[in-house]
Amino acid sequence: MPKKVRTAQERTIDPAAQEMLIRADELGLETAFHRADDFVPCNIGAAGLCCKLCGMGPCRLTKEGMTGVCGATIDTIQARNLIRAIAAGSAAHSDHGRDMAFTLKAVANGEAEGYVIRDVAKLRTVAAHYGIPIQGRAPEEIANDLADLYIDQFGQQRGQVVPVRRAPAKRQKLWAERGVIPRGVDREVVEALHRTHIGDDQDPEHILQHAIRTGLADGWGGSLIATDVSDILFGTPAPILGQANLGVLKTDMVNVVVHGHEPTLSEMIVAASQDPEIIAYAKAAGATGINLAGICCTANEILMRQGIPAAGNFLHQELSILTGAVEAMVVDVQCIMQALVGLAQNFHTKIITTSPKVKIKGATHMQFDEHRALSIAKDILRAAIDNFKNRGDIRIPDVRSELVPGFSHEYINYMLGGTYRASFRPLNDAIMSGRIRGVAAIVGCNNARSQQDYLHTYVTQELLKQDVLVVETGCGAIASAKLGLLLGEAGLDKVGPGLREICETVGIPPVLHMGSCVDNTRILTVLTQMVEEGGLGDDIDQVPAVGLAPEWMSEKALSIATYCVASGAYVIFGGASPVSGMPDKVSDSDIVLRYISQGWEEQFGGKLEFVQDPDEMIQRTLEHIDKKRAALKLPEYDPARFGRSGDERMLQLETLPLEERQAALYGF
Ligand code: SF4
Ligand code: MSK
């Protein structure tokens, strides 16, 4: 089959990205978009039908009934591949959480240069959840105890990881009955690897049962710890004005792009960039100052706390280098393409790796250590400033959008009820009345095989028209940001009438940005509080809500999907299914697909499905929401019932003569 080379417009809907892809072609350079066109994925591996777990393989199963050399069946091989991906995703998020907990310990003991505890209220709230004494104690003492407790969760061997106590009571009971509460974060990941070694667990359903426990170790373990500690150290996000897209890079400033996931380094680079000595150093180099911008989830971390602009999402990492205007790209962990180094060699951009866990051949390594964080951050910025003089031709697309990110669970609680009666009641009431039909969490990555941002933004916009409130995280949130959906009232003219009334009354955008990919735990917390508020059932699986990852790419996404399913959510992934099996067959090879859908739904009330067509994603989302509404005996969704209040109505009334306005408003 001849390979199809896509045009820039077919590769991405983002005009800034299109401009950079055309520049890449002009310069004879390639990106992930080009490489995705250059080779077709192996259809055996893509369907989960290849096993390379031992030296007798790789065994590629291409026909119904085939087994590997050891006799492993298609369904066993698929289940093993899937749980290994989930374990890797759970490990990545959780190791991030572990590092955050160690940083909290160091800060509590005065050993971390430059850090302070910024959110003492959250520290006290979280500590109180676990019975850590808070009365009359200094924040550092509480933080020390919380750090010890959190560090213990990773290596704990028996019992239950403590964050699961924050799930709805009924859910905890269900998990206990099913035997899936994680004992310790590391233990579940290790067991997933052990079970999938040659000659171990060979019952696909039994393997996938442990996948649930491995995913829960992420969502109600490592990720939740990461989010808690990030908020305690760097502040719980609240709405702040920001900008997104490549147009945030500056022609006259030293551009430093931070990329990856952990806020420990990026927050310190933000602090260092404001140091007068560093600013003076930049000016002495001929620049007007230092301009920081983020990529991927590091972007989300510093955007929602500091208002530092986002240069873009996952597929923008190479595109930002193509501008020729980036003096340094500073990376830590996860979602960093090896191709950055080769591409950067065509420009002056320095790729600086910083994590002891991540090195890339050809990159400059400046290892980060939280004990000397500020000094290292300044060294990194000096290296970027020194590189300013080496800049060649630059082309920065004049494309950027404004946005308001920072809708943490705590802020949503506050915005709905104010300081003295913070509550989720108005949200629950709006869903119960049908003003809001339901909630969709649209999260996850970009994928070079999709048209960048198209699926995210199409699904988002269509659900908004149907009065579905959308919350977003990760690279999906940046996709909506670039389209202007995260700005105050932007896009409200395309939002359903009931949802529009709520957005206008509360003063929120129709899409709420809730953070990075590790922050999907914020969505779990929101769902839990909606349950606890009353009126929407007594467990998460009863809430009219759906999770979607239309352009998923990473193993972390699979782990997120699994813990959301285990928490009771219906999760729809776009793109390719890693367990699609033999084409067009209803056979053994469908066991895994059936189990993660019907099987998991019977046990946990949530299910995972892979759906390629965006209209089908939307249809299934709405059907699920309406099914959950009916089960709760809520009124059937009817868009015609709402829309007579809100800003537009008031503006219309203002044009009427006084008597008519009074008649319309008060009936006299
Ligand atoms: Fe093949 Fe079995 Fe070895 Fe997998 S574990 S590579 S199926 S022999
Ligand atoms: S960065 S995991 S591409 S969301 Fe979190 Fe984006 Fe997905 Fe990486």
Side-chain angles (χ1 to χ4, degrees), residues 27 31 90 98 109 133 137 159 179 212 236 291 311 321 382 414 457 474 480 499 528 531-532 536 611 633 640:
L27 297 173
T31 66
S90 182
R98 182 201 324 266
N109 290 281
R137 301 184 80 201
I212 291 282
T236 301
N291 180 46
I321 291 174
R382 281 192 204 95
Y414 161 75
T457 52
S480 285
L499 176 60
T528 301
V531 167
E532 287 168 353
L536 293 175
V611 178
K633 302 201 176 4

mmCIF file of all heavy atoms in Angstrom, residues 27 31 90 98 109 133 137 159 179 212 236 291 311 321 382 414 457 474 480 499 528 531-532 536 611 633 640:
data_model
loop_
_atom_site.group_PDB
_atom_site.id
_atom_site.type_symbol
_atom_site.label_atom_id
_atom_site.label_comp_id
_atom_site.label_asym_id
_atom_site.label_seq_id
_atom_site.Cartn_x
_atom_site.Cartn_y
_atom_site.Cartn_z
ATOM 1 N N LEU A 27 12.928 23.585 5.219
ATOM 2 C CA LEU A 27 14.304 23.381 5.699
ATOM 3 C C LEU A 27 14.777 21.935 5.519
ATOM 4 O O LEU A 27 15.897 21.598 5.873
ATOM 5 C CB LEU A 27 14.391 23.756 7.190
ATOM 6 C CG LEU A 27 14.095 25.222 7.534
ATOM 7 C CD1 LEU A 27 14.037 25.420 9.046
ATOM 8 C CD2 LEU A 27 15.161 26.140 6.924
ATOM 9 N N THR A 31 9.687 15.869 11.555
ATOM 10 C CA THR A 31 9.100 15.874 12.898
ATOM 11 C C THR A 31 8.355 14.559 13.103
ATOM 12 O O THR A 31 8.296 13.731 12.193
ATOM 13 C CB THR A 31 8.073 17.020 13.030
ATOM 14 O OG1 THR A 31 6.979 16.715 12.142
ATOM 15 C CG2 THR A 31 8.647 18.379 12.682
ATOM 16 N N SER A 90 1.399 3.543 35.555
ATOM 17 C CA SER A 90 1.228 3.710 37.000
ATOM 18 C C SER A 90 2.576 4.035 37.643
ATOM 19 O O SER A 90 2.672 4.896 38.531
ATOM 20 C CB SER A 90 0.634 2.410 37.575
ATOM 21 O OG SER A 90 0.398 2.525 38.939
ATOM 22 N N ARG A 98 6.359 10.059 44.254
ATOM 23 C CA ARG A 98 7.398 9.742 45.249
ATOM 24 C C ARG A 98 8.397 10.906 45.353
ATOM 25 O O ARG A 98 8.759 11.343 46.444
ATOM 26 C CB ARG A 98 8.132 8.467 44.820
ATOM 27 C CG ARG A 98 9.218 8.001 45.791
ATOM 28 C CD ARG A 98 10.241 7.072 45.106
ATOM 29 N NE ARG A 98 9.669 6.198 44.112
ATOM 30 C CZ ARG A 98 9.254 4.943 44.346
ATOM 31 N NH1 ARG A 98 9.366 4.422 45.535
ATOM 32 N NH2 ARG A 98 8.748 4.221 43.357
ATOM 33 N N ASN A 109 12.207 19.914 56.492
ATOM 34 C CA ASN A 109 13.403 19.883 57.332
ATOM 35 C C ASN A 109 14.417 20.967 56.960
ATOM 36 O O ASN A 109 15.590 20.891 57.353
ATOM 37 C CB ASN A 109 14.032 18.490 57.257
ATOM 38 C CG ASN A 109 13.152 17.479 57.978
ATOM 39 O OD1 ASN A 109 13.167 17.393 59.201
ATOM 40 N ND2 ASN A 109 12.321 16.755 57.229
ATOM 41 N N PRO A 133 -1.950 14.921 63.617
ATOM 42 C CA PRO A 133 -2.332 16.067 64.447
ATOM 43 C C PRO A 133 -1.933 17.380 63.781
ATOM 44 O O PRO A 133 -0.823 17.495 63.241
ATOM 45 C CB PRO A 133 -1.537 15.863 65.746
ATOM 46 C CG PRO A 133 -1.121 14.437 65.733
ATOM 47 C CD PRO A 133 -1.024 14.012 64.298
ATOM 48 N N ARG A 137 0.500 22.978 65.795
ATOM 49 C CA ARG A 137 1.773 22.513 65.220
ATOM 50 C C ARG A 137 2.209 23.429 64.074
ATOM 51 O O ARG A 137 1.373 23.950 63.319
ATOM 52 C CB ARG A 137 1.645 21.085 64.701
ATOM 53 C CG ARG A 137 1.239 20.087 65.774
ATOM 54 C CD ARG A 137 1.227 18.689 65.198
ATOM 55 N NE ARG A 137 2.563 18.104 65.128
ATOM 56 C CZ ARG A 137 2.883 17.092 64.320
ATOM 57 N NH1 ARG A 137 1.981 16.587 63.506
ATOM 58 N NH2 ARG A 137 4.114 16.602 64.316
ATOM 59 N N GLY A 159 -1.711 -4.196 53.966
ATOM 60 C CA GLY A 159 -2.717 -3.189 54.309
ATOM 61 C C GLY A 159 -3.245 -2.481 53.070
ATOM 62 O O GLY A 159 -3.375 -3.094 52.008
ATOM 63 N N GLY A 179 -11.159 -7.282 46.438
ATOM 64 C CA GLY A 179 -9.743 -7.537 46.727
ATOM 65 C C GLY A 179 -8.796 -6.748 45.840
ATOM 66 O O GLY A 179 -7.736 -7.259 45.447
ATOM 67 N N ILE A 212 -6.508 -3.692 37.507
ATOM 68 C CA ILE A 212 -7.324 -2.742 38.273
ATOM 69 C C ILE A 212 -6.542 -2.279 39.509
ATOM 70 O O ILE A 212 -6.457 -1.081 39.809
ATOM 71 C CB ILE A 212 -8.653 -3.408 38.694
ATOM 72 C CG1 ILE A 212 -9.547 -3.647 37.480
ATOM 73 C CG2 ILE A 212 -9.360 -2.602 39.790
ATOM 74 C CD1 ILE A 212 -10.275 -2.429 36.954
ATOM 75 N N THR A 236 -2.344 25.759 45.639
ATOM 76 C CA THR A 236 -3.472 25.124 44.960
ATOM 77 C C THR A 236 -3.953 26.073 43.864
ATOM 78 O O THR A 236 -4.189 27.248 44.122
ATOM 79 C CB THR A 236 -4.593 24.840 45.976
ATOM 80 O OG1 THR A 236 -4.051 23.985 46.982
ATOM 81 C CG2 THR A 236 -5.781 24.174 45.316
ATOM 82 N N ASN A 291 12.093 35.017 28.818
ATOM 83 C CA ASN A 291 10.704 34.626 28.581
ATOM 84 C C ASN A 291 10.590 33.119 28.778
ATOM 85 O O ASN A 291 11.195 32.350 28.044
ATOM 86 C CB ASN A 291 10.313 35.002 27.141
ATOM 87 C CG ASN A 291 8.876 34.609 26.831
ATOM 88 O OD1 ASN A 291 7.975 34.868 27.637
ATOM 89 N ND2 ASN A 291 8.670 33.989 25.688
ATOM 90 N N ALA A 311 3.656 27.130 25.513
ATOM 91 C CA ALA A 311 4.019 27.180 24.093
ATOM 92 C C ALA A 311 3.238 26.132 23.309
ATOM 93 O O ALA A 311 3.115 26.236 22.087
ATOM 94 C CB ALA A 311 5.518 26.974 23.921
ATOM 95 N N ILE A 321 11.049 24.221 18.634
ATOM 96 C CA ILE A 321 12.456 24.329 18.224
ATOM 97 C C ILE A 321 12.557 24.869 16.796
ATOM 98 O O ILE A 321 13.456 25.642 16.459
ATOM 99 C CB ILE A 321 13.140 22.954 18.371
ATOM 100 C CG1 ILE A 321 13.260 22.628 19.862
ATOM 101 C CG2 ILE A 321 14.513 22.932 17.691
ATOM 102 C CD1 ILE A 321 13.772 21.265 20.164
ATOM 103 N N ARG A 382 21.519 30.800 33.046
ATOM 104 C CA ARG A 382 22.750 31.430 32.522
ATOM 105 C C ARG A 382 23.190 30.723 31.238
ATOM 106 O O ARG A 382 23.625 31.377 30.277
ATOM 107 C CB ARG A 382 23.863 31.380 33.567
ATOM 108 C CG ARG A 382 23.720 32.454 34.641
ATOM 109 C CD ARG A 382 24.973 32.578 35.496
ATOM 110 N NE ARG A 382 24.622 33.142 36.787
ATOM 111 C CZ ARG A 382 24.368 32.427 37.889
ATOM 112 N NH1 ARG A 382 24.489 31.110 37.877
ATOM 113 N NH2 ARG A 382 24.021 33.027 39.008
ATOM 114 N N TYR A 414 -15.196 26.549 46.052
ATOM 115 C CA TYR A 414 -15.311 27.936 46.502
ATOM 116 C C TYR A 414 -16.178 28.748 45.549
ATOM 117 O O TYR A 414 -17.075 29.490 45.966
ATOM 118 C CB TYR A 414 -13.908 28.546 46.620
ATOM 119 C CG TYR A 414 -13.903 30.045 46.622
ATOM 120 C CD1 TYR A 414 -14.303 30.761 47.749
ATOM 121 C CD2 TYR A 414 -13.530 30.744 45.484
ATOM 122 C CE1 TYR A 414 -14.329 32.152 47.726
ATOM 123 C CE2 TYR A 414 -13.550 32.123 45.458
ATOM 124 C CZ TYR A 414 -13.949 32.823 46.577
ATOM 125 O OH TYR A 414 -13.987 34.185 46.552
ATOM 126 N N THR A 457 -10.953 18.905 20.237
ATOM 127 C CA THR A 457 -11.778 20.117 20.177
ATOM 128 C C THR A 457 -13.133 19.838 19.535
ATOM 129 O O THR A 457 -14.128 20.445 19.917
ATOM 130 C CB THR A 457 -11.035 21.239 19.437
ATOM 131 O OG1 THR A 457 -10.584 20.734 18.181
ATOM 132 C CG2 THR A 457 -9.825 21.709 20.225
ATOM 133 N N GLY A 474 -4.191 17.962 31.051
ATOM 134 C CA GLY A 474 -3.125 17.497 30.162
ATOM 135 C C GLY A 474 -3.101 18.223 28.826
ATOM 136 O O GLY A 474 -3.483 19.389 28.701
ATOM 137 N N SER A 480 -7.769 22.759 23.815
ATOM 138 C CA SER A 480 -8.922 23.663 23.953
ATOM 139 C C SER A 480 -8.472 25.094 24.201
ATOM 140 O O SER A 480 -9.107 26.042 23.724
ATOM 141 C CB SER A 480 -9.816 23.206 25.112
ATOM 142 O OG SER A 480 -10.539 22.079 24.723
ATOM 143 N N LEU A 499 -26.439 25.028 30.015
ATOM 144 C CA LEU A 499 -25.042 25.179 30.437
ATOM 145 C C LEU A 499 -24.629 26.646 30.359
ATOM 146 O O LEU A 499 -23.920 27.160 31.225
ATOM 147 C CB LEU A 499 -24.141 24.311 29.546
ATOM 148 C CG LEU A 499 -22.644 24.419 29.790
ATOM 149 C CD1 LEU A 499 -22.278 24.017 31.216
ATOM 150 C CD2 LEU A 499 -21.872 23.550 28.799
ATOM 151 N N THR A 528 -16.134 12.519 43.695
ATOM 152 C CA THR A 528 -16.415 12.064 45.060
ATOM 153 C C THR A 528 -17.239 13.108 45.805
ATOM 154 O O THR A 528 -18.213 12.791 46.488
ATOM 155 C CB THR A 528 -15.086 11.795 45.807
ATOM 156 O OG1 THR A 528 -14.369 10.801 45.083
ATOM 157 C CG2 THR A 528 -15.331 11.325 47.230
ATOM 158 N N VAL A 531 -20.800 13.116 44.767
ATOM 159 C CA VAL A 531 -21.526 12.018 45.407
ATOM 160 C C VAL A 531 -21.873 12.389 46.844
ATOM 161 O O VAL A 531 -23.012 12.216 47.307
ATOM 162 C CB VAL A 531 -20.672 10.723 45.364
ATOM 163 C CG1 VAL A 531 -21.241 9.663 46.289
ATOM 164 C CG2 VAL A 531 -20.573 10.205 43.937
ATOM 165 N N GLU A 532 -20.888 12.933 47.551
ATOM 166 C CA GLU A 532 -21.098 13.227 48.968
ATOM 167 C C GLU A 532 -22.085 14.382 49.171
ATOM 168 O O GLU A 532 -22.760 14.461 50.198
ATOM 169 C CB GLU A 532 -19.757 13.523 49.654
ATOM 170 C CG GLU A 532 -18.958 12.231 49.813
ATOM 171 C CD GLU A 532 -17.503 12.430 50.225
ATOM 172 O OE1 GLU A 532 -17.052 13.592 50.263
ATOM 173 O OE2 GLU A 532 -16.840 11.409 50.489
ATOM 174 N N LEU A 536 -27.079 12.698 43.557
ATOM 175 C CA LEU A 536 -26.575 12.045 42.345
ATOM 176 C C LEU A 536 -26.085 10.635 42.667
ATOM 177 O O LEU A 536 -25.081 10.167 42.142
ATOM 178 C CB LEU A 536 -25.443 12.884 41.725
ATOM 179 C CG LEU A 536 -25.860 14.249 41.167
ATOM 180 C CD1 LEU A 536 -24.653 15.045 40.692
ATOM 181 C CD2 LEU A 536 -26.873 14.107 40.024
ATOM 182 N N VAL A 611 -13.040 3.764 20.640
ATOM 183 C CA VAL A 611 -13.984 4.177 19.602
ATOM 184 C C VAL A 611 -13.255 5.156 18.686
ATOM 185 O O VAL A 611 -12.764 6.187 19.148
ATOM 186 C CB VAL A 611 -15.204 4.887 20.249
ATOM 187 C CG1 VAL A 611 -16.172 5.361 19.173
ATOM 188 C CG2 VAL A 611 -15.903 3.973 21.250
ATOM 189 N N LYS A 633 -33.554 8.724 38.244
ATOM 190 C CA LYS A 633 -34.918 9.284 38.145
ATOM 191 C C LYS A 633 -34.893 10.818 38.030
ATOM 192 O O LYS A 633 -35.764 11.528 38.554
ATOM 193 C CB LYS A 633 -35.788 8.844 39.333
ATOM 194 C CG LYS A 633 -35.897 7.330 39.453
ATOM 195 C CD LYS A 633 -37.103 6.933 40.248
ATOM 196 C CE LYS A 633 -37.352 5.449 40.347
ATOM 197 N NZ LYS A 633 -36.416 4.518 39.769
ATOM 198 N N ALA A 640 -35.010 22.627 25.555
ATOM 199 C CA ALA A 640 -35.982 23.719 25.394
ATOM 200 C C ALA A 640 -36.432 24.302 26.733
ATOM 201 O O ALA A 640 -37.013 25.374 26.783
ATOM 202 C CB ALA A 640 -37.195 23.208 24.623
#
